[in-house]
Structure formats: structure tokens, C-alpha cells
């Protein structure tokens, strides 16, 4: 039977709330002081001093009552726990992959996979590597290359699948370097580094064809697979009547392997997995797993975590949930566009990215407009976001000074099932108010910043 499409204009939160947690109210004066104490780095602010926390959608979601019940039923046996088999079955059923390896979060899967590949000096190609993925590829001695589709960096111009890979550019690169030197292709769905934009089924299929032609394994970084599948349903020809679960399974049919941060679309606070068909590679991965994460049937997680993931992987494919989820970021994005606030258009699946370069043209990239905006949002309304710009991605010159990154974005990530529409209305009101006085926002300068992953611990001061 075909599911009835929601006939109303108002999309509602498809849940009611059973447990609540107070928000962290502060005064502007307190926030001024807190920012100074935190050296203008929002990672240093205590969460209880944040009113609306949009720093990340990773591990910050609310679990369902089913998942909490699963937590109580979790089997904590070291080997062969029932919860592991529930987890394994859920991942197998979704991905169709054979070898299922639990890990404590996404980057552990990356670390194990790229260490096991041992492809020093060789290339990994992608639509866009997420920053930890790139860091783990590079830590293994391999080289990470991004091939986003043309126009992906044109933030103003909407397109349905701006997360796609540029398949022609990938093929040109493979021919140039020789297929033996390209050891893996990673498709990140949705594409987090470029605005949470989805990848189309057509693009996945073309990438798969390319990979088959040159015998390159295709892995999916599937942290946000369900959001991607729902975008395919909404936007790609031929899928509007297909259940999202089927779409997700079709995406995974293209994959030789997958790595997942379960902290996103498995609706849990911690966890991840690595999955593949290649038995030889999986054996190497399992050896590293036992060395660094734990035994095959728990991989750095508690049995209860595995149980919650197994349940979350099914819940996330509920189309009422996905309709609310995608509509939430659209709602925020549309409100900002209405007042001419520049964002990555269209809004992404897991959040809205403000284009700080365009919003604050009076601040030079070397004065960190993204970070300045993130601090201003906290000062104005206690909203915590994250800079994706020169502080996060800027390369350094020989003196350690930052060179401008290609983009200056501020990501407003949406935790799953946490905030309601009035919270988002509040966020919109704060941004509107900030926009009126944006010329007063000042750039920042570095006090100190380590050379690696500097955004987490850098200290800054206002100019
Ligand atoms: N891949 C993608 C696409 C991600 O977005 C993340 C994490 C990871 C891998 C790594 O997973 O955090 O579980 O180790 N993204 C978070 C974020 C941190 O805020 O976007 P992890």
C-alpha cells in the first residue's frame, strides 16, 4: 500500500518529549566574559553556558524510548554478546556487506581502514574527504584528493546534488597517475565539508562504473546515509515513490565497503562501524581492531551501545522522521535567505552554513571572518556554531601564519530530535538582529595555534 503523503503545510516534530533537560541561559555580560576567558574559541565554552548548541550534529541527538529500552537490554559479554549480533544483523541488512566491524566512532574506522590499506605514496580519491578522513588518509602516508562537482563552491547557486563527484576529473586523474596508484575511492554522503549537500544515485552509479573500470574499491562514508537517501527521494527523477529504505539499500549496492560514524544517522551518542566484502582486507582490519579498539564483537563499545545502534539504524529510515529532519534545516535556511543572509544554497541535510566571507566582507580572510561570526552569534544569543574556514582548513606559511582557505563558512548544525521549531525561530531572530549591526563585528587575530587541527585549541583575540 502506498504511504499517504503528509497533506499539511506545517511539518511537525514526529515525536513527543518524555525527558527534558534545561537550557543554559546566560546574560550578555556573562557571555562577554566567557568569550574572553575562552580565548574566542567556542570549543572552550562549557556546554551549560550555551543556550542553543549547533556546534555539531555528531553524538548530540536524542535517543528514542525504544533505544533507551535497548540500553537496558544490552548484553555486556566480552565475546559473542547478543547485542553484537543484533548490531551485525542491522548493519548487514542495511548495507548488504559481509564483514561487519564495530568501532567506537567514525575516525576509528578511518584509522583502521587506511592503516590496513598501507598505501604510502598512493592516492585516495573522493567527492570530498571529511577532515578526519583526510587526516587519517594522510597519517597512513597516502594522499587524499577531492573531486567535487563543478559549481559546488558556488554557494549562492542552488542545485539538487551539489555533493556529487566530478567523475570526468576523477577519470583524468586516474589515467594521469595510473590506476595502480589510486587505491580507493571514498564517497561521502552527504558531503559534510561542502555544506551537507547530497549525492545523487546517478552520480554514485557513475562513480561505481568508473571504479569498476579501473578495479578501484568504492567505499561510502555513510555517516548521513539516510538524509542522503531522503534527498534522492525528494529530488531525483524516478524515486519519489520508492521507500527510503530501498533507496538507502540501492546506494549501498554500489559499495565495496562502508565506514560510518553512528553518532549521526544511527541516532546514538557514540559508535561506528567499518564494513566490507574483501576478506583479506577485513582480516588486517580486525587485527588492528583487537590492537586498538577491542575484540571483534564489541570494538570499543559497550553492548548497550551496539543495541542502540541496531535500533537507530532502523528508526532513522522512518519517513516521518526524515521529513521533519530535512524540513528543519530548510526552514532555517529559507528564513535566512529571505533577509538576504548568504548561506550555502540550498540548505544541507544536517544544518545550514552561513557564507561569512559574503556576510562580513569588511573582515579579511586572514582575520577569520567565520570565527568572528561564530563568536558574535554566541555573544548575541548564546548560540554555538563552528567555523569551517581559515582557522579549520587554512594552510600555514613557513612562519606559521595562516593562509586563507577557499571558503569562510559558519556551520549551524542541527542535533537530531533535540530542538523544536520555536528554538529555531529564536535562532532566526538572533541572526536577524546581528545582521542589522554586522558592520560592528570585528576580525580576530591569533594569540597561539598548534600546527595540527589548530581550530580545537587555538587562542584568539579581537582586533
Ligand atoms: N565522516 C563524516 C562525513 C563526518 O561528518 C564525521 C564527523 C566523521 C566521518 C568522523 O566521525 O566524529 O564519529 O569520528 N563529523 C563530526 C561533525 C565531527 O561535526 O561533522 P567521528
Amino acid at each position: 500500500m502506498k504511504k499517504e503523503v503528509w497533506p499539511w503545510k506545517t511539518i511537525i516534530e514526529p515525536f513527543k518529549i518524555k525527558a527534558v533537560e534545561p537550557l543554559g541561559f546566560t546574560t550578555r555580560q556573562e557571555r562577554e566574559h566567557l568569550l574572553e576567558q575562552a580565548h574566542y574559541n567556542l570549543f572552550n565554552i562549557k556546554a551549560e553556558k550555551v543556550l542553543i548548541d549547533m556546534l555539531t550534529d555528531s553524538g548530540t541527538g536524542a535517543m528514542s524510548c525504544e533505544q533507551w529500552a535497548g540500553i537496558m537490554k544490552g548484553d555486556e559479554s566480552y565475546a559473542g554478546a547478543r547485542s553484537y549480533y543484533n548490531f551485525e544483523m542491522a548493519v548487514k541488512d542495511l548495507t548488504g556487506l559481509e564483514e561487519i566491524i564495530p568501532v567506537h566512532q567514525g575516525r576509528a574506522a578511518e584509522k583502521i581502514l587506511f592503516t590496513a590499506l598501507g598505501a604510502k605514496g598512493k592516492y585516495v580519491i573522493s567527492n570530498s574527504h571529511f577532515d578526519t578522513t583526510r587526516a587519517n588518509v594522510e597519517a597512513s602516508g597516502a594522499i587524499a584528493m577531492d573531486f567535487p562537482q563543478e559549481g559546488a563552491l558556488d554557494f549562492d547557486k542552488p542545485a539538487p546534488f551539489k555533493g556529487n563527484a566530478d567523475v570526468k576529473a576523477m577519470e583524468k586523474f586516474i589515467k594521469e597517475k595510473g590506476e595502480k596508484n589510486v587505491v580507493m575511492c571514498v564517497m561521502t554522503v552527504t558531503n559534510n565539508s561542502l555544506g551537507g549537500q547530497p549525492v545523487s544515485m546517478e552520480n554514485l552509479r557513475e562513480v561505481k562504473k568508473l571504479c569498476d573500470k579501473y578495479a578501484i574499491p568504492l567505499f561510502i562514508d555513510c555517516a548521513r546515509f539516510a538524509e542522503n537517501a531522503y534527498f534522492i527521494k525528494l529530488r531525483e527523477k524516478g524515486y519519489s515513490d520508492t521507500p527510503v529504505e530501498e533507496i538507502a539499500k540501492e546506494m549501498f549496492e554500489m559499495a565495496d565497503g562502508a565506514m560510518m560514524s553512528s553518532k549521526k544517522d544511527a541516532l546514538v551518542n557514540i559508535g561506528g562501524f567499518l564494513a566490507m566484502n574483501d576478506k583479506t582486507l577485513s582480516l588486517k582490519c580486525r587485527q588492528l581492531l583487537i590492537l586498538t579498539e577491542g575484540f571483534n564483537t564489541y570494538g570499543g563499545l559497550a553492548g548497550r551501545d551496539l543495541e542502540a545502534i541496531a535500533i537507530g539504524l532502523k528508526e532513522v529510515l522512518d519517513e516521518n522522521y526524515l521529513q521533519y529532519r530535512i524540513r528543519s534545516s530548510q526552514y532555517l535556511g529559507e528564513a535566512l535567505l529571505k533577509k538576504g543572509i548568504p548561506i550555502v544554497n540550498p540548505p544541507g541535510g544536517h544544518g545550514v552554513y552561513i557564507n561569512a566571507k559574503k556576510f562580513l566582507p569588511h573582515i579579511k580572510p586572514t582575520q577569520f571572518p567565520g570565527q568572528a561570526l561564530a563568536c558574535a552569534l554566541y555573544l548575541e544569543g548564546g548560540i554555538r556554531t563552528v567555523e569551517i574556514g581559515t582557522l579549520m582548513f587554512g594552510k600555514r606559511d613557513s612562519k606559521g601564519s595562516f593562509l586563507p582557505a577557499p571558503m569562510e563558512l559558519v556551520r549551524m548544525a542541527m542535533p537530531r530530535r533535540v530542538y523544536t521549531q520555536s528554538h529555531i525561530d529564536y535562532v532566526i531572530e538572533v541572526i536577524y538582529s546581528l545582521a542589522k549591526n554586522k558592520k560592528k563585528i570585528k576580525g580576530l587575530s591569533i594569540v597561539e595555534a598548534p600546527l595540527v587541527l589548530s581550530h580545537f585549541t587555538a587562542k584568539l583575540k579581537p582586533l
Side-chain angles (χ1 to χ4, degrees):
M1 203 172 65
K2 200 171 158 236
K3 200 171 158 282
E4 189 193 72
V5 178
W6 180 256
W8 306 98
K9 200 170 115 251
T10 309
I11 309 288
I12 59 172
E13 286 87 359
F15 48 79
K16 49 188 177 174
I17 297 166
K18 197 188 284 273
V20 296
E21 197 181 344
L23 295 179
F25 288 91
T26 50
T27 63
R28 191 182 177 97
Q29 206 184 1
E30 268 181 273
R31 291 194 295 276
E32 236 163 43
H33 180 63
L34 286 163
L35 265 177
E36 200 182 317
Q37 272 188 323
H39 302 283
Y40 299 86
N41 185 337
L42 300 173
F43 284 98
N44 292 333
I45 304 258
K46 284 189 178 157
E48 58 192 28
K49 301 292 181 194
V50 175
L51 191 64
I52 308 286
D53 206 342
M54 306 179 95
L55 184 75
T56 178
D57 64 320
S58 183
T60 53
M63 290 207 292
S64 66
C65 52
E66 285 297 326
Q67 286 177 297
W68 281 111
I71 291 275
M72 286 309 295
K73 287 200 260 180
D75 177 352
E76 302 301 342
S77 308
Y78 190 100
R82 182 185 63 246
S83 297
Y84 169 75
Y85 293 106
N86 290 342
F87 160 87
E88 185 191 43
M89 197 157 57
V91 179
K92 270 192 177 168
D93 179 52
L94 172 68
T95 64
L97 295 163
E98 288 296 317
E99 299 290 328
I100 313 298
I101 302 172
V103 291
H104 81 275
Q105 64 180 80
R107 68 198 72 180
E110 294 161 0
K111 168 85 183 155
I112 287 174
L113 177 65
F114 295 115
T115 308
L117 268 180
K120 205 170 168 191
K122 301 199 168 168
Y123 297 91
V124 176
I125 58 174
S126 175
N127 54 342
S128 295
H129 294 81
F130 179 65
D131 58 0
T132 59
T133 324
R134 168 177 295 278
N136 276 304
V137 168
E138 288 173 356
S140 79
I143 304 150
M145 298 294 300
D146 289 347
F147 297 91
Q149 80 163 26
E150 237 180 272
L153 281 162
D154 183 352
F155 299 136
D156 294 331
K157 199 171 156 208
F161 292 104
K162 284 166 88 173
N164 282 353
D166 184 338
V167 182
K168 280 206 184 104
M170 276 181 165
E171 178 152 28
K172 188 163 165 266
F173 182 83
I174 297 169
K175 282 184 174 160
E176 235 169 69
K177 300 291 174 190
E179 60 211 69
K180 292 260 169 337
N181 291 316
V182 180
V183 287
M184 182 167 283
C185 175
V186 175
M187 287 296 284
T188 311
V189 302
T190 57
N191 191 335
N192 187 9
S193 306
L194 289 180
Q197 303 292 318
V199 176
S200 70
M201 195 70 87
E202 190 188 6
N203 190 248
L204 270 179
R205 224 177 271 125
E206 282 172 10
V207 171
K208 173 65 179 157
K209 223 164 97 187
L210 177 76
C211 288
D212 282 351
K213 184 169 164 190
Y214 295 101
I216 298 167
L218 170 59
F219 272 55
I220 298 184
D221 177 346
C222 61
R224 301 179 180 85
F225 74 93
E227 289 167 11
N228 198 88
Y230 193 67
F231 275 124
I232 289 175
K233 182 175 178 112
L234 291 181
R235 296 180 184 170
E236 192 160 347
K237 216 174 135 225
Y239 286 95
S240 60
D241 289 335
T242 314
V244 178
E245 186 176 341
E246 271 177 43
I247 299 175
K249 287 181 176 171
E250 193 178 327
M251 283 163 51
F252 282 110
E253 273 170 27
M254 248 77 80
D256 300 297
M259 47 206 161
M260 170 136 190
S261 167
S262 300
K263 302 170 76 170
K264 285 83 170 176
D265 273 354
L267 302 173
V268 294
N269 304 118
I270 195 71
F273 62 78
L274 182 56
M276 65 193 76
N277 285 331
D278 183 335
K279 290 228 164 19
T280 319
L281 182 62
S282 84
L283 262 176
K284 278 194 200 158
C285 289
R286 286 182 192 283
Q287 278 160 8
L288 289 166
L289 182 84
I290 295 176
L291 197 64
T292 60
E293 290 278 295
F295 185 61
N296 279 322
T297 61
Y298 73 88
L301 293 168
R304 52 180 173 269
D305 299 325
L306 294 164
E307 198 73 45
I309 294 172
I311 297 164
L313 284 175
K314 295 208 162 62
E315 272 180 9
V316 78
L317 291 167
D318 171 14
E319 299 195 12
N320 290 326
Y321 161 75
L322 283 166
Q323 169 175 263
Y324 137 82
R325 172 76 181 150
I326 298 305
R327 181 64 201 138
S328 303
S329 348
Q330 279 172 348
Y331 179 80
L332 172 57
E334 283 166 12
L336 300 190
L337 284 171
K338 206 158 73 189
K339 292 271 166 138
I341 293 157
I343 62 164
V344 176
N345 196 9
H350 64 294
V352 175
Y353 295 54
I354 300 180
N355 184 353
K357 199 187 266 184
K358 204 165 166 198
F359 187 64
L360 304 175
H362 61 286
I363 303 180
K364 287 189 268 181
T366 46
Q367 298 173 352
F368 308 101
Q371 187 67 9
L373 177 57
C375 288
L377 274 167
Y378 177 71
L379 180 64
E380 187 80 3
I383 300 163
R384 176 157 65 175
T385 54
V386 74
E387 185 251 23
I388 302 186
T390 296
L391 190 61
M392 187 180 273
F393 283 127
K395 299 217 165 27
R396 310 283 277 272
D397 67 14
S398 55
K399 287 189 206 125
S401 300
F402 281 84
L403 301 169
M407 60 194 132
E408 298 295 339
L409 303 174
V410 169
R411 184 183 73 174
M412 314 181 75
M414 301 273 208
R416 292 169 181 77
R417 306 191 288 207
V418 168
Y419 295 120
T420 64
Q421 188 168 338
S422 61
H423 291 121
I424 300 307
D425 285 334
Y426 166 79
V427 170
I428 294 166
E429 191 183 338
V430 169
I431 300 175
Y432 282 2
S433 155
L434 199 63
K436 279 194 212 133
N437 298 308
K438 63 178 189 163
K439 291 216 173 78
K440 287 195 193 140
I441 300 174
K442 291 200 177 75
L444 299 161
S445 67
I446 293 287
V447 176
E448 61 178 70
L451 286 172
V452 183
L453 293 173
S454 46
H455 57 288
F456 288 117
T457 52
K459 293 180 177 171
L460 301 99
K461 64 171 197 263
L463 285 164

